[in-house]
Amino acid sequence: MADVLRGIKANNAFYHSLVGYAEHLQAQGDVPECLQVCQEAANYATFQYCGFYAEPRLEQLLIRIRHQAAIGPIAPAARPAATRLRVLHYATSVFEVGGHTRLLDNWIRADAANQHDVLLTQQTVPVPAFLTEAVEAVQGNVTVLDSADVLSNARHLAGVAGGYDVIILHHHANDVVPILALAAAERSVPVCVLNHGDHRFWLGVVVCDLLVEIRDNLIAADKQRRGIQAFGLLPIPVHTSAVSPEAYHASRAILGILPEQVMLLSIGASYKYDPIDEKNFFADILPVLERYEQAVLVVVGIDPASDLAIRYAHPRLRFVAPTMHLADFHNACDIYLEGYPFSSFTAYLEVGAQGKPICRMYAPPLLNAYAISTYPAPVHYPADRAEWTGYLQHLITDAQARLVAGRQEYANSSTHAPAAIQEHVRIIYRKAAAVAGKAVVNSLPTTVFSGPNDQYLYKMQYNPERLIVLHKYFKLPLTAKLHLVAHNIRSLMARSDISVRDLFWFVFKAK
């Protein structure tokens, strides 16, 4: 634990050395170079846990840059009275696979009575067709900005913002554009942040009038960690639909699942299964597969040729590369296994909405515990590995137990169904209108958090193999360079492309 706490403090110190250098550049009037360093600081905090979930120093610096770059005010646009709300969804980028884009898509589909536009600033792949179709169905537009210039993108967002009744931010954690664009003193259009990255640091508290949580068990934590005052709730939208026996058997035939087999399903990106301490999903499941010959596990999201798949190869463990075509996997499975140590909430909620039982991870930290206070049935998280194993074995061997547990999941899924989502969205709009421009009352904490949840997050994000690109930091002052090299000395010395002489040159040469 001591090593983890030292690591968090070291990350925090290097982050602040970056922000300090950015402040120096801003004071000199070098806005482009300052913005580059701000971006590096945001990147670092996003991918290396620094002990905070919101950070006031960088956010305030971005506000000063906004003034220095003369990004204009956000003036309400004159337009005819309309019965429909105009909603702007801002996202950094969207993808074919993953809950982030699906949540945006489902919001628009659930609120088809209003007009929705989508603005993207760092879209490097084609916009998913399902999202384009959803926007077009409500007479909206998808705009992809092709400029790599951050200030240009911020000016565009600031320029169009006044034409909307509400702005929803679905941005990436390290995106500086929302603050540069929307931190205007006289902004009347409300800004909501959809907290899809609720477990981690993100930029944007200073423009967040209303924080839209995807689970209300994190509201108290976000008050403490981010200093936010106003909250809404949008449970992750899913469609409730029980699977017919015909669909169940047809999908199993397609996947080659035998009638007597009990199919376990887990869905998630490869990194979500990387072990932390005692939590090793594949090491835990293999003994279960060995004991119960009727059990077969399909894991969707991991390439069969990957090192992870090869390391844990088993005759009844099947790996499937990432795909958005999940219907047959959902239909055919008997039990959903939540992957760990990092959860995929949307993945298991979609299966639970079919009336399938879910075996959740054991002893989850706060960041992995998903619950809604209005659920009609209790959510069960095993206390430890032994209880997890016992519960899973019970589900594998008892069809009636699977049926009962599946009914509970199906009952809870009504909280995520379209009708419930529509009502939540209406409440969000009403709350947002009441707090428009009130983000200034948010008080970002300066605490360095280091409790059990924070230590878990540090370990999740710790990656000694992450390459440090030294030339990006060449203009840093001496103290910041020393921080960088000292904190990453093991990985730097292990690289064949860097020598001790290179490190001395990097630290002590000015150009």
Side-chain angles (χ1 to χ4, degrees), residues 216-238:
D216 55 6
N217 61 323
L218 251 66
I219 289 177
D222 276 319
K223 286 181 179 179
Q224 177 193 31
R225 295 171 177 173
R226 307 186 206 273
I228 290 176
Q229 309 299 316
F231 295 86
L233 175 66
L234 185 73
I236 296 173
V238 296

Side-chain angles (χ1 to χ4, degrees), residues 128-306:
F130 64 81
L131 180 60
T132 302
E133 291 166 3
V135 175
E136 290 176 348
V138 294
Q139 294 79 51
N141 296 291
V142 176
T143 301
V144 178
L145 302 184
D146 56 8
S147 173
D149 181 63
V150 171
L151 290 176
S152 173
N153 292 337
R155 289 191 176 96
H156 181 98
L157 176 55
V160 302
Y164 291 91
D165 298 294
V166 61
I167 297 171
I168 315 296
L169 299 181
H170 306 253
H171 63 301
H172 293 350
N174 55 346
D175 191 346
V176 301
V177 168
I179 295 178
L180 292 171
L182 302 174
E186 301 299 327
R187 171 176 52 77
S188 59
V189 56
V191 173
C192 304
V193 173
L194 181 63
N195 201 9
H196 61 89
D198 58 11
H199 63 287
R200 69 191 306 178
F201 159 84
W202 47 258
L203 285 170
V205 171
V206 292
V207 297
C208 177
D209 297 317
L210 186 79
L211 183 60
V212 180
E213 300 278 22
I214 60 174
R215 46 179 168 166
D216 55 6
N217 61 323
L218 251 66
I219 289 177
D222 276 319
K223 286 181 179 179
Q224 177 193 31
R225 295 171 177 173
R226 307 186 206 273
I228 290 176
Q229 309 299 316
F231 295 86
L233 175 66
L234 185 73
I236 296 173
V238 296
H239 291 277
T240 302
S241 58
V243 181
S244 69
E246 293 78 14
Y248 171 77
H249 292 298
S251 292
R252 287 170 72 89
I254 290 171
L255 298 179
I257 305 299
L258 301 177
E260 66 272 17
Q261 289 182 318
V262 177
M263 176 180 159
L264 315 179
L265 174 67
S266 191
I267 303 173
S270 177
Y271 75 90
K272 293 189 175 185
Y273 297 91
D274 288 340
I276 293 179
D277 296 336
E278 80 284 357
K279 283 193 168 68
N280 185 328
F281 177 81
F282 292 109
D284 291 343
I285 194 61
L286 286 180
V288 178
L289 295 179
E290 285 293 330
R291 182 172 181 181
Y292 297 96
E293 293 185 359
Q294 72 269 43
V296 57
L297 171 60
V298 178
V299 179
V300 180
I302 299 177
D303 193 305
S306 67

Side-chain angles (χ1 to χ4, degrees), residues 109 209 247 307 398 491:
R109 293 180 188 275
D209 297 317
D307 291 340
D398 191 334
S491 59

Side-chain angles (χ1 to χ4, degrees), residues 370-451:
Y370 188 96
I372 304 291
S373 59
T374 55
Y375 274 165
V379 173
H380 176 62
Y381 282 97
D384 52 32
R385 187 193 294 112
E387 185 183 341
W388 176 87
T389 302
Y391 182 61
L392 177 55
Q393 291 173 346
H394 179 53
L395 292 176
I396 291 172
T397 57
D398 191 334
Q400 182 62 27
R402 295 198 295 270
L403 183 63
V404 171
R407 285 173 178 166
Q408 291 182 320
E409 298 296 345
Y410 188 78
N412 286 344
S413 69
S414 63
T415 305
H416 302 266
I421 297 303
Q422 288 174 2
E423 181 58 25
H424 280 293
V425 168
R426 283 193 289 268
I427 293 171
I428 288 167
Y429 294 153
R430 186 169 67 246
K431 285 185 173 182
V435 297
K438 297 291 180 63
V440 292
V441 304
N442 295 331
S443 54
L444 288 85
T446 55
T447 306
V448 177
F449 297 98
S450 57

Side-chain angles (χ1 to χ4, degrees), residues 102-138:
R102 282 294 178 187
L103 210 161
L104 167 56
D105 174 65
N106 284 325
W107 181 315
I108 294 170
R109 293 180 188 275
D111 187 43
N114 293 310
Q115 179 183 329
H116 297 262
D117 293 334
V118 174
L119 176 63
L120 307 167
T121 55
Q122 295 180 34
Q123 190 68 25
T124 57
V125 297
V127 177
F130 64 81
L131 180 60
T132 302
E133 291 166 3
V135 175
E136 290 176 348
V138 294

